Amino acid sequence: MKREDARNASPSRPWPLTSSPGEETAAGEDAGDDDDRLLLWEQTRQELLSLENETAFNEAIIEEREEDIKEIHYDVQQIHEIYQDLAVLLHDQPISIDNIDKRIEESAASTGRAKEQLYKASKCSRSRSSWVCWVLIILVLVLVILLLVLILHRLLARHDNPVQSLVKQ
């Protein structure tokens, strides 16, 4: 706003062509002074334009930097959120690792107990099968003995009959 006011307030000529209203100068001096004044005025105007252009350029750079700063601020906020999430994960991770470690130990203990039970079951199975084998062997022997006794008894009973028949005669 201030620059616009300064631009609009500047006159087309910065000062009058004569030094002062009451002072009279020679015509030649007036023309030389006017040229110097015009030249000085033109240089001042060029400097003002240059300053205005430089100011506009600087303002554009400032706005661009401001946008970059806002973008960096947003990125920093995003990074902050990521670090917060990471902190939560790192806080929960030891609990998860402890749970996994505990379950591995429990699994190892259960596997050991299962191995012992399988060994006992195998031993019992072998002892039962051997016991069953012994019982079957004894049963077979008893049956064989019974059959032999029956066979011998029948043979002896047949042999006894002829003798008895001879005795009766």
Side-chain angles (χ1 to χ4, degrees):
M1 279 288 206
K2 290 180 183 178
R3 278 187 310 257
E4 291 175 13
D5 292 339
R7 272 186 254 151
N8 293 336
S10 65
S12 60
R13 291 186 139 189
W15 51 81
L17 293 177
T18 58
S19 304
S20 65
E23 184 178 325
E24 295 210 10
T25 57
E29 287 179 11
D30 256 354
D33 284 343
D34 284 345
D35 287 342
D36 288 343
R37 286 180 189 160
L38 280 175
L39 183 62
L40 185 61
W41 181 80
E42 187 61 32
Q43 284 176 348
T44 306
R45 190 172 78 66
Q46 290 295 329
E47 287 175 8
L48 283 175
L49 285 175
S50 174
L51 285 175
E52 286 176 6
N53 288 339
E54 188 177 328
T55 304
F57 178 73
N58 287 340
E59 284 178 356
I61 289 175
I62 289 171
E63 287 177 15
E64 185 177 317
R65 286 183 180 170
E66 209 172 291
E67 289 175 17
D68 290 343
I69 288 171
K70 287 178 183 177
E71 189 174 318
I72 289 171
H73 179 70
Y74 176 77
D75 291 344
V76 167
Q77 285 178 335
Q78 293 296 319
I79 291 171
H80 178 69
E81 289 178 17
I82 290 170
Y83 274 113
Q84 284 179 333
D85 293 343
L86 186 61
V88 169
L89 290 174
L90 289 176
H91 177 59
D92 292 343
Q93 189 177 14
I95 295 169
S96 298
I97 290 174
D98 290 343
N99 287 341
I100 291 170
D101 196 28
K102 182 180 176 183
R103 289 187 179 144
I104 288 172
E105 289 173 3
E106 289 173 356
S107 296
S110 296
T111 304
R113 287 192 301 268
K115 185 177 175 182
E116 289 175 13
Q117 290 176 357
L118 283 173
Y119 178 74
K120 287 178 184 177
S122 173
K123 194 174 178 182
C124 285
S125 175
R126 277 190 242 142
S127 67
R128 278 190 199 149
S129 63
S130 65
W131 182 77
V132 169
C133 285
W134 282 111
V135 168
L136 285 175
I137 290 172
I138 292 173
L139 265 168
V140 169
L141 284 176
V142 168
L143 284 175
V144 168
I145 292 173
L146 281 175
L147 281 173
L148 283 176
V149 168
L150 281 174
I151 292 174
L152 283 177
H153 180 35
R154 286 207 176 192
L155 282 177
L156 287 178
R158 278 190 199 167
H159 286 319
D160 282 340
N161 285 339
V163 172
Q164 283 178 357
S165 54
L166 286 176
V167 172
K168 285 187 186 174
Q169 291 175 357

